[in-house]
Amino acid sequence: MAWTKKLTQLNDVLSDLVPNKDGITKYVKAAGLKPQHINESGNAMDVWSNVLSEAEKNSKVDELVKSVLDTYPDNQFLKSALFEKEIDFSVAPDIDDTSDWQDVSEETLEVLTMGQSTLLPVNFLAKGVQRSKSVGKVEIKIGSNRYSVGTGFLFKIKGIEDLFFITNYHVINDKNYIERTRIIFDYELDIEGNTVPSRSFKIDETGPWYCSEIKENDATIFKLIDEHNTLAEYGWIELKEIEIAQNDFVNIIQHPEGKMKQISLYHNIVTNTNERIVQYLTDTLKGSSGSPVFNSDWEVVALHHSGGGSKPEEPELPKGIKSRNEGILINKIIQFVKDNHKN
């Protein structure tokens, strides 16, 4: 069986939606597959891989997707996977392949249940809206009707005049895709719930192209073409070295699943940090890769790049909380830009 990119991404999405092996069998039966033909050894991702292989062999991939859609009817990837015109969400790296995940501590659980104040000044909202202007959707055409999507943002670094855009290396890293890529700003709703007119920009293929692989900074940095001098309307986020600690709060502005711009504001607690990464409970979805991770002062602390389901041995978290999300510490990104741009 040819293991296509579509199946790879289905495996990724299904493993996120149903990360417990015991929950997979009902979907196997609903799709008309025989559970006895499925190898259930390994973790949930391994089992889903075996299920998809069996479904492909029996021409029942659509039936399998439909069975999971009955439980998750709003999942955009599952819906698009049923049609030829599909969105090809960028696959984030497996967090287990890039970092050590540390258990959520009892202290963090206490903070999560409001063991400390979460009050903020009202100007927090206005500052957030201002920062959000610089966040854009990354859309890469990879077929006649297929797109890979991610998130990114405009930024500057003190001492460097250039205006850059950043997203993840796993979102785009091949210059051959530059012509097929557009960065879309204002893809969002206004205060009345109406669609805001969006504007798209192309990548400047003659400008800087700084790439850092997944196991390093998982970042691709470039400039945008500003033919009509309108890019200034979206401002930029000034990056500066920052300190972030366990139990701090972080918020993420993003384009999950390629949808209109959204923000995560609930149960946003940092669970682990080191000199390379920041790990947090903040919600993300496919397509959120490359989003800025902010502290409560709206300073960028990390570049979001990966997530995954909680492990069985981790402490039990309140319902609805996805405990495994991670970003690259922004200090690493700043140093990476300085090291490359001076050359």
Side-chain angles (χ1 to χ4, degrees):
M1 182 201 78
W3 191 258
T4 64
K5 186 170 184 178
K6 175 179 177 178
L7 290 177
T8 299
Q9 297 206 352
L10 266 174
N11 194 41
D12 187 53
V13 171
L14 292 170
S15 301
D16 269 356
L17 293 174
V18 188
N20 190 324
K21 290 196 299 184
D22 296 336
I24 298 175
T25 303
K26 70 175 183 179
Y27 300 111
V28 171
K29 292 179 178 178
L33 300 171
K34 296 179 179 180
Q36 61 267 33
H37 291 171
I38 308 295
N39 181 353
E40 296 185 352
S41 60
N43 58 29
M45 183 167 282
D46 296 329
V47 178
W48 273 120
S49 177
N50 296 332
V51 170
L52 283 167
S53 295
E54 185 69 15
E56 177 72 6
K57 184 171 69 176
N58 291 280
S59 300
K60 289 186 177 293
V61 172
D62 282 358
E63 284 76 4
L64 180 64
V65 171
K66 290 174 183 175
S67 72
V68 183
L69 265 171
D70 285 341
T71 305
Y72 302 97
D74 296 323
N75 187 278
Q76 295 298 312
F77 181 82
L78 293 179
K79 288 194 286 189
S80 66
L82 294 174
F83 302 96
E84 184 177 343
K85 184 178 180 180
E86 64 183 76
I87 295 175
D88 182 12
F89 298 113
S90 298
V91 179
D94 188 331
I95 201 169
D96 294 324
D97 291 339
T98 59
S99 303
D100 293 325
W101 183 260
Q102 296 193 6
D103 286 347
V104 179
S105 69
E106 292 297 328
E107 179 187 0
T108 298
L109 290 177
E110 290 177 7
V111 174
L112 191 59
T113 55
M114 305 308 166
Q116 70 182 58
S117 174
T118 57
L119 293 173
L120 292 164
V122 73
N123 68 356
F124 172 85
L125 302 174
K127 287 181 179 179
V129 171
Q130 184 182 57
R131 292 290 189 274
S132 75
K133 293 290 292 180
S134 303
V135 179
K137 175 184 173 181
V138 181
E139 184 177 272
I140 308 165
K141 190 172 185 178
I142 58 173
S144 58
N145 291 304
R146 295 166 57 231
Y147 297 87
S148 177
V149 296
T151 305
F153 60 97
L154 292 163
F155 75 93
K156 282 190 174 184
I157 294 174
K158 189 174 183 179
I160 299 177
E161 286 300 315
D162 300 76
L163 175 64
F164 300 104
F165 187 89
I166 184 171
T167 187
N168 284 145
Y169 178 89
H170 74 259
V171 171
I172 182 171
N173 56 70
D174 188 341
K175 277 195 165 185
N176 291 323
Y177 284 99
I178 286 178
E179 276 298 315
R180 309 182 209 173
T181 302
R182 60 178 186 156
I183 310 301
I184 307 169
F185 293 98
D186 281 340
Y187 185 54
E188 58 190 84
L189 299 176
D190 65 17
I191 196 170
E192 303 294 336
N194 298 314
T195 304
V196 174
S198 61
R199 185 181 290 138
S200 63
F201 296 81
K202 302 293 289 185
I203 297 173
D204 183 358
E205 58 184 326
T206 65
W209 181 258
Y210 305 143
C211 292
S212 180
E213 295 185 357
I214 289 171
K215 291 189 177 182
E216 295 175 358
N217 299 314
D218 195 6
T220 297
I221 297 164
F222 45 82
K223 290 184 178 182
L224 300 180
I225 298 173
D226 188 14
E227 290 181 342
H228 305 291
N229 297 316
T230 54
L231 196 57
E233 296 176 20
Y234 302 100
W236 66 81
I237 301 168
E238 184 174 346
L239 301 187
K240 56 185 178 181
E241 292 194 2
I242 206 78
E243 291 185 6
I244 187 74
Q246 183 180 355
N247 296 338
D248 284 351
F249 293 92
V250 289
N251 313 294
I252 302 179
I253 297 175
Q254 56 191 292
H255 285 279
E257 296 181 333
K259 295 177 182 177
M260 290 189 176
K261 194 179 296 174
Q262 298 181 32
I263 183 170
S264 298
L265 285 175
Y266 301 138
H267 45 71
N268 296 353
I269 297 175
V270 172
T271 60
N272 178 42
T273 68
N274 61 29
E275 70 282 354
R276 175 179 175 268
I277 55 90
V278 182
Q279 294 174 335
Y280 35 82
L281 305 183
T282 317
D283 284 340
T284 60
L285 289 172
K286 308 299 175 188
S288 300
S289 295
S291 301
V293 182
F294 297 95
N295 62 16
S296 294
D297 291 323
W298 290 109
E299 299 166 318
V300 176
V301 300
L303 174 71
H304 174 72
H305 86 126
S306 185
S310 60
K311 291 182 176 179
E313 64 269 20
E314 288 179 6
E316 184 176 352
L317 295 170
K319 184 178 179 181
I321 293 180
K322 183 177 179 179
S323 66
R324 291 163 59 75
N325 281 307
E326 179 182 278
I328 304 297
L329 184 67
I330 208 63
N331 300 357
K332 295 282 289 182
I333 303 294
I334 293 170
Q335 192 58 51
F336 171 71
V337 175
K338 288 181 176 178
D339 289 344
N340 282 272
H341 199 57
K342 67 183 178 183
N343 297 323

